[in-house]
Amino acid sequence: MTATAVETKRKTVHLIIERQDNPDSKPYTQEFVVPYVPGMNVIACLMEIQRNPVDKDGKPVAPVTWEMNCLEEICGACMMVINGKPRQACTSLVDQLEQPIRLKPARTFPVVRDLVVDRSRMFDALKKIKAWIPIDGTYDLGPGPRMPEKDRQWAYELSRCFTCGACLEACPNVNERTSFIGPFAISQARLFNEHPTGQMHREERLEALMGEGGIHECGNAQNCVEVCPKGIPLTTSIAAMNRQVTWHAIGAWLKK
Amino acid sequence: MAQAQQSSQFLLRRLHTLAGVVPVGLFLLEHLFTNAMATAPNGAVQFNRAVDVIQHIPLLHFVEFFFIFLPLIYHGVYGLYVAFTSGYNAGQYSWTRNILFMLQRITGIITFVFIIFHLWTTRFSGKAPTFQMVHELVSNPAYFWFMIIGVVAATFHFANGLWSFCIHWGITVGARAQRVTAAVTMVIFVVLAAVGVDAIVAFTHSA
Ligand code: SF4
Ligand code: FES
């Protein structure tokens, strides 16, 4: 029986994966063919490679590494570049992807190994813009003010960001020549500035957005809103924060 | 210190977008309007008269320097820096906005080169700014096409820049507002480009 006849007998999935052994080594590609299972996602393919780590020609290779947690598009950990677009591996269904499926790490971030990247810069960005609501005191501060329902509804949308990094990966202005903190951080500043208690630290967030790598680095390419798996209105958040920093800057200058 | 330097980055960027509209953008409109005089039936007379009015603006050199050259140089030079620090990934992400983002930077660089050459052959050529002078210039086909490309690039850069300006200054916030402005600015581009090209063609006819 010829090879093609075997292939037609058993349905398979063809993957081309860009790999890298350690942070400083050179990337290389390897091809894999795994048995098809109805309804399988990209993670299932990677698990199959891990179970039986052989390449397309049956040669044993080191199993491919990747990150995952929730498997239901909630944690953000499994973001990688799939067929040229950054997205979550756990919700990328093989049936909906063109084959061969090309997997690459999101190189906006330092690659740790294979598809695993180090997204620390995102957490640094969140710290920079103070993406939290300080409620600790030496005594019980009591309940905070209530949030109007109509604001809560859109703020909830923003709160769904899971720091996956797809928006940074797609943004042309997140690159080696800038220190842009990325679209998600601007949206998070908007979220916490909207919260009635978070508002108390509004100015500090605005100052941070006007600081190094801040909102001015955005060039409105608007790729972020196209790739965000949570459908967060990032470009609206950026424009809304532009409005806030503009008023803040003018106001601060007039107060001096 | 570092903090002060950084918030000056913010300020420099904001001044860059502002300068592009006021005064540079306004000057572009004025310039296109003056050129359009050449399309009148007695174009040469009309154009020369319009130029004459401008020549009699009080403190002309002062106005020209502070309201045109200085902001123009700032917008242009800082713009080159912006174009250099931007990334370009429209090959991988070919969404309309990302392509326009790239075109904004490319037309910016074209316009930069165009303006230098344009000023050198007109304003700083030592010749009197008359219909006849422009006519002689655009009679050269290479110069004519250079002008056409320059005018189209400049008007696109201005119109699309208006769209961006509205976001940078927090004027258009929602997706719908941004879509509407995108359509409006593209209409502005087509109209201004047509006015500009029309004038260049008018200059090719001898007085
Ligand atoms: S904004 Fe969207 S794309 Fe960006 S990190 Fe959050 S969830 Fe991911
Ligand atoms: S594993 Fe959590 S988002 Fe994919």
Side-chain angles (χ1 to χ4, degrees), chain A residues 192-211:
Chain A
F192 289 100
N193 269 9
E194 190 59 30
H195 190 279
T197 309
Q199 244 162 41
M200 296 171 189
H201 295 260
R202 188 171 176 275
E203 271 81 21
E204 287 169 44
R205 295 193 193 94
L206 296 180
E207 290 289 336
L209 284 184
M210 291 161 64

Side-chain angles (χ1 to χ4, degrees), chain B residues 6-194:
Chain B
Q6 282 313 327
S7 75
S8 73
Q9 270 281 333
F10 172 83
L11 190 69
L12 290 177
R13 283 275 178 146
R14 280 298 199 275
L15 285 179
H16 172 248
T17 60
L18 182 65
V21 179
V22 187
V24 176
L26 286 183
F27 171 69
L28 174 72
L29 293 179
E30 183 281 318
H31 191 19
L32 288 171
F33 182 74
T34 310
N35 292 353
M37 296 289 177
T39 61
N42 55 344
V45 179
Q46 292 288 342
F47 177 76
N48 287 340
R49 191 181 297 155
V51 171
D52 194 56
V53 171
I54 295 170
Q55 296 286 319
H56 285 93
I57 291 176
L59 301 172
L60 182 63
H61 286 295
F62 175 85
V63 172
E64 191 186 42
F65 183 77
F66 284 100
F67 292 95
I68 301 174
F69 288 148
L70 209 60
L72 187 62
I73 291 168
Y74 175 67
H75 185 80
V77 173
Y78 196 80
L80 287 181
Y81 164 76
V82 171
F84 169 73
T85 54
S86 287
Y88 299 90
N89 57 17
Q92 190 182 356
Y93 308 105
S94 50
W95 292 300
T96 314
R97 282 279 35 126
N98 196 28
I99 292 171
L100 291 172
F101 168 89
M102 183 184 71
L103 286 179
Q104 181 67 4
R105 282 144 183 80
I106 292 174
T107 54
I109 293 167
I110 294 175
T111 308
F112 188 87
V113 174
F114 165 74
I115 290 177
I116 291 174
F117 188 71
H118 178 50
L119 282 173
W120 180 52
T121 53
T122 55
R123 172 67 180 80
F124 297 111
S125 65
K127 294 184 210 127
T130 60
F131 185 94
Q132 189 55 30
M133 179 200 87
V134 185
H135 172 68
E136 276 160 27
L137 285 172
V138 296
S139 298
N140 176 343
Y143 195 91
F144 173 81
W145 284 107
F146 181 74
M147 288 296 284
I148 299 283
I149 292 170
V151 164
V152 171
T155 50
F156 173 86
H157 189 78
F158 170 66
N160 193 51
L162 276 182
W163 176 83
S164 235
F165 174 87
C166 289
I167 297 176
H168 279 304
W169 286 78
I171 299 166
T172 49
V173 171
R176 189 197 53 93
Q178 293 179 8
R179 260 200 315 277
V180 171
T181 341
V184 171
T185 51
M186 279 304 113
V187 171
I188 293 176
F189 160 56
V190 172
V191 170
L192 292 183

Side-chain angles (χ1 to χ4, degrees), chain A:
Chain A
M1 216 174 359
T2 62
T4 42
V6 177
E7 245 169 67
T8 42
K9 236 178 86 187
R10 262 187 82 212
K11 236 179 132 189
T12 55
V13 184
H14 183 192
L15 300 116
I16 302 178
I17 305 180
E18 186 178 289
R19 308 194 54 181
Q20 183 169 327
D21 294 339
N22 62 58
D24 307 309
S25 64
K26 269 213 153 59
Y28 56 94
T29 55
Q30 263 173 5
E31 300 195 23
F32 298 88
V33 175
V34 299
Y36 172 82
V37 181
M40 79 194 300
N41 59 10
V42 166
I43 300 264
C45 298
L46 290 169
M47 284 173 156
E48 179 55 33
I49 294 171
Q50 199 175 46
R51 202 181 61 79
N52 179 26
V54 293
D55 72 0
K56 196 175 78 178
D57 309 317
K59 201 169 74 88
V61 294
V64 178
T65 56
W66 75 96
E67 269 191 313
M68 62 174 174
N69 252 305
C70 67
L71 298 178
E72 52 174 358
E73 204 170 75
I74 288 294
C75 74
C78 66
M79 191 274 294
M80 57 184 74
V81 179
I82 301 173
N83 286 350
K85 300 280 182 311
R87 52 185 298 187
Q88 306 308 120
C90 63
T91 46
S92 298
L93 301 178
V94 168
D95 290 335
Q96 292 162 9
L97 292 171
E98 200 181 296
Q99 283 198 42
I101 299 170
R102 289 165 202 276
L103 306 183
K104 288 181 182 182
R107 291 200 174 272
T108 290
F109 306 99
V111 173
V112 177
R113 179 173 179 162
D114 294 338
L115 302 168
V116 180
V117 296
D118 177 1
R119 289 175 298 153
S120 308
R121 61 168 293 173
M122 295 186 77
F123 303 101
D124 294 339
L126 289 176
K127 283 182 210 156
K128 191 173 220 162
I129 56 122
K130 298 192 167 40
W132 58 77
I133 294 168
I135 50 165
D136 290 340
T138 48
Y139 60 96
D140 182 3
L141 296 173
R146 272 180 64 88
M147 187 169 196
E149 174 59 18
K150 71 173 201 318
D151 293 334
R152 187 204 60 79
Q153 280 183 4
W154 65 256
Y156 175 70
E157 293 301 317
L158 308 191
S159 75
R160 296 168 73 223
C161 171
F162 52 17
T163 335
C164 69
C167 54
L168 279 82
E169 174 68 17
C171 178
N173 276 6
V174 175
N175 61 44
E176 335 63 73
R177 295 180 297 284
T178 74
S179 48
F180 186 30
I181 52 175
F184 84 108
I186 299 171
S187 189
Q188 289 303 298
R190 182 182 179 215
L191 170 67
F192 289 100
N193 269 9
E194 190 59 30
H195 190 279
T197 309
Q199 244 162 41
M200 296 171 189
H201 295 260
R202 188 171 176 275
E203 271 81 21
E204 287 169 44
R205 295 193 193 94
L206 296 180
E207 290 289 336
L209 284 184
M210 291 161 64
E212 188 185 358
I215 195 165
H216 48 277
E217 298 281 357
C218 169
N220 300 313
Q222 305 205 330
N223 287 350
C224 51
V225 75
E226 301 278 352
V227 298
C228 176
K230 304 308 262 185
I232 293 170
L234 289 160
T235 49
T236 302
S237 282
I238 292 169
M241 293 318 285
N242 267 326
R243 180 176 283 187
Q244 289 188 22
V245 291
T246 298
W247 285 114
H248 174 73
I250 295 171
W253 184 70
L254 290 176
K255 264 186 250 165
K256 265 178 199 160

